[in-house]
Amino acid sequence: MDELRAAIEAVLFVAEKPVTVGDLARATGARPRDVEHALAALEELRASSGLRLQRDGDAWRLVTSPESARAVTAYLGADRLRISHAALETLSVIAYRQPATRADVESIRGVNCDQTVETLLARRLIEEVARADRPGRPILYGTTWEFLECFGLSSIDELPRVLTPEGERLDEATPREFAEPIE
Amino acid sequence: MMESRSPRVSVEGFEGPLDLLLELIEEQRLDVLTVRLGDLADAYLTRVRGLAELPAEEVALFLVLASRLVLIKARSILPQATTEELESAGADEAELRQRLLEYQAVRERAAALRARLDEGRRAFHREGGTPVELPPRGGDSGALAAAWQKVLELARSAREQEMVTPVERYSVEERATEIEELLHVRQAVSFSTLLLERPTLRFAIVTFLAILDLFRRGAIDLEQEALFDDITVVRRGVNRTSG
C-alpha cells in the first residue's frame, strides 16, 4: 500500500495535467479501488506538508498548500487576483450551483451578466462544461482548476458554507445547491 | 454582512434592483423573511429617482421592480380586494421574497469567497509540467555527432565566406522563384540538395525562409520521415503517399 501511495505521488508530481483515477490505475498497474484508497492515504499524509491533493471529479493533482501561499507568491512574484464585486457574485452563483447557465445567474442577480461571465471565462475561473437539455441548448458553466487554486480549495465540496441567521432556510431556498460535482 | 456596510454612495454601488431592495431592508434592520415588501415601495422609488445617471436600459430594470412593489402595496391596502386578488398579491410577494432570499445567499457567498481571496490562502500547481526533458525518440549518438559535424562545417564555411567573398545579395523572393522553377522540372527535391555543396550561412537561411514562404503560399508540401532527417520539398498536388 505504501508503495502504491508513493508511486501515485510520483506520477502526480511529474504530471502536466490533473490525472484521473483510471490513468493512475493504468500507470501503477493497480486496481482503481486501491488507487482511491491510496489517494485517501496520500491526502492524509500530505495534510501537514507544503503540498496538497486537489480533486475535480475523479481527476487529481498536486498543488501547494494554502498555508504556504505567501512564500510561493513571494517567490513567483505572482499577483493577487483582483475581481469585482459583480464578477464575484456571478462566480458564487456558478460555483455553488454548478453547472449553471447565464440565465440562471441573471434570474438570481436580476441584472445582465454577459460582461461578468466573459470576464470570468477570460480569467479561466469558469468554463463551459456542457449544454443544457432545454430549448436553445444554453451553455452550462462550471468552475475550473484555476478557481480551486485561486481560492485554495481542494475540491468544490470545500466551498465555504455560509451561515446566516436564516441559514437553514436559505438552503431550502436553493435546493440545487451542493448537487453532484461535475465530472 | 460587512460587505454591505461599505459606503454605497455612487449609483455604481448597486449591483441591480434586488441589491438595492436588499440594501433598503438591511438599512432599516428589517428581516427579509418578515418585512412587508409593499411598505418599501416609497423608499425604493425615492432611491430609483437618484439613479438618473444610469443608462435607460438599466433604470428600466429598477422600474420593473419598483412597479411590482407598488402593485403589492396597492393590493394589500385596497379594501375592496377580492380573495383571488389577495391570493395573487400574496403569491407575488412570496415569489419576490424568495428571490431576495436567494440573492441574499449569493451575496453572503460572494463575501465568503472574497474573504478567502483576501486571506491569500491560494494554491499553486507546478507550471510547465514534466520537469525532465526527454530526448527525442530514435536519436542516437552517431546522428548527434554527424549533426555536430555539419554545424562545424557550416560555421567554417561561413567564416571562409566572410573572409573571402563579398556578402552576396540574395533575396528570399529570388530563391523562392528558383525553387519553384526547379520543382517544375522535378517533382521533389531534398533540402540538402537545395543547400548545394557548401552553403554560406546566409544562403542556407534564405533557402530555408524561401521554403517556408512557398509552403505558406501552398505551392509546396514538406515531408520529413523522422526527426532530424532531411526535409523533402514536394510540388503541391504530387501524390507521394508511398513514402
Side-chain angles (χ1 to χ4, degrees):
Chain A
M1 195 61 187
D2 283 358
E3 216 172 289
L4 178 59
R5 189 186 62 197
I8 288 172
E9 187 177 31
V11 171
L12 291 176
F13 176 74
V14 299
E16 285 182 32
K17 296 179 295 198
V19 189
T20 61
V21 172
D23 283 343
L24 287 171
R26 263 185 294 285
T28 55
R31 289 177 306 171
R33 188 145 44 98
D34 293 336
V35 169
E36 272 165 21
H37 285 309
L39 279 165
L42 184 56
E43 208 166 19
E44 217 168 287
L45 183 73
R46 282 279 145 253
S48 57
S49 77
L51 297 176
R52 292 279 191 284
L53 285 187
Q54 207 175 47
R55 175 181 70 83
D56 191 0
D58 81 330
W60 296 75
R61 69 176 185 179
L62 270 180
V63 296
T64 61
S65 71
E67 290 74 24
S68 53
R70 188 194 292 257
V72 179
T73 309
Y75 174 73
L76 292 177
D79 277 335
R80 177 170 294 184
L81 178 74
R82 294 182 162 278
I83 185 164
S84 75
H85 186 67
L88 205 53
E89 275 192 13
T90 299
L91 182 60
S92 71
V93 175
I94 292 171
Y96 282 84
R97 303 207 135 183
Q98 54 187 306
T101 64
R102 265 174 218 232
D104 290 338
V105 179
E106 284 176 7
S107 84
I108 292 172
R109 293 191 58 229
V111 284
N112 180 296
C113 297
D114 289 351
Q115 193 85 52
T116 54
V117 167
E118 288 309 318
T119 307
L120 295 172
L121 280 172
R123 292 187 173 183
R124 300 209 291 168
L125 290 168
I126 60 168
E127 64 187 351
E128 286 187 38
V129 289
R131 294 271 179 168
D133 195 12
R134 65 179 104 133
R137 299 189 53 73
I139 298 167
L140 287 164
Y141 296 100
T143 52
T144 59
W145 287 98
E146 282 81 359
F147 168 80
L148 293 179
E149 225 167 57
C150 282
F151 291 89
L153 305 167
S154 30
S155 77
I156 52 170
D157 302 335
E158 253 197 12
L159 278 172
R161 298 204 69 153
V162 180
L163 290 179
T164 62
E166 295 88 9
E168 286 152 281
R169 281 171 297 196
L170 278 180
D171 279 348
E172 267 170 49
T174 54
R176 279 193 290 155
E177 181 186 6
F178 304 118
E180 285 289 293
I182 42 156
E183 294 292 312
Chain B
M1 277 299 165
M2 292 314 291
E3 189 81 17
S4 59
R5 297 272 155 75
S6 56
R8 297 203 172 210
V9 276
S10 70
V11 285
E12 290 83 26
F14 294 106
E15 291 301 335
L18 287 172
D19 192 46
L20 178 56
L21 186 54
L22 213 49
E23 278 300 304
L24 280 177
I25 293 169
E26 280 165 7
E27 268 172 30
Q28 302 184 22
R29 297 177 186 279
L30 298 169
D31 188 344
V32 180
L33 279 168
T34 53
V35 62
R36 287 158 55 99
L37 294 175
D39 292 351
L40 295 167
D42 294 331
Y44 190 83
L45 273 169
T46 310
R47 287 295 184 88
V48 173
R49 267 185 217 114
L51 299 182
E53 295 151 53
L54 279 184
E57 231 172 89
E58 283 181 45
V59 173
L61 288 173
F62 287 90
L63 288 179
V64 169
L65 184 57
S67 63
R68 264 185 89 174
L69 291 174
V70 172
L71 188 64
I72 290 169
K73 182 183 182 184
R75 279 178 177 149
S76 68
I77 57 175
L78 281 179
Q80 66 270 39
T82 63
T83 342
E84 203 178 297
E85 270 173 337
L86 280 176
E87 261 171 28
S88 92
D92 202 24
E93 186 171 7
E95 198 265 342
L96 185 54
R97 195 186 303 284
Q98 191 63 42
R99 287 188 59 192
L100 273 174
L101 283 172
E102 214 170 343
Y103 180 67
Q104 193 176 39
V106 166
R107 255 185 22 176
E108 301 287 325
R109 286 174 190 148
L113 287 180
R114 167 80 70 200
R116 258 198 107 81
L117 211 54
D118 288 347
E119 275 175 47
R121 287 162 53 91
R122 55 160 302 168
F124 292 89
H125 69 277
R126 274 157 34 81
E127 207 62 66
T130 320
V132 196
E133 275 297 330
L134 295 172
R137 281 173 218 280
D140 60 62
S141 52
L144 188 64
W148 178 233
Q149 191 62 38
K150 271 189 206 165
V151 171
L152 284 180
E153 274 168 26
L154 202 62
R156 192 184 312 122
S157 86
R159 246 198 324 275
E160 280 169 16
Q161 296 284 342
E162 245 170 56
M163 289 187 287
V164 192
T165 50
V167 183
E168 51 184 324
R169 298 254 167 243
Y170 225 125
S171 79
V172 176
E173 289 77 25
E174 279 174 309
R175 190 72 183 121
T177 314
E178 275 182 16
I179 295 172
E180 260 191 307
E181 278 166 4
L182 186 64
L183 283 175
H184 267 296
V185 190
R186 309 166 54 166
Q187 294 188 340
V189 62
S190 73
F191 184 61
S192 57
T193 311
L194 288 175
L195 283 185
L196 307 175
E197 266 301 290
R198 299 175 68 188
T200 64
L201 207 53
R202 180 181 292 264
F203 183 76
I205 292 169
V206 166
T207 303
F208 188 66
L209 287 178
I211 284 179
L212 288 182
D213 190 49
L214 285 169
F215 183 74
R216 184 181 60 81
R217 279 159 38 198
I220 58 164
D221 281 318
L222 296 173
E223 288 171 7
Q224 190 177 32
E225 290 289 313
L227 209 59
F228 299 141
D229 250 18
D230 199 357
I231 301 166
T232 310
V233 181
V234 189
R235 193 201 313 155
R236 185 56 68 92
V238 175
N239 196 0
R240 276 171 50 94
T241 43
S242 57

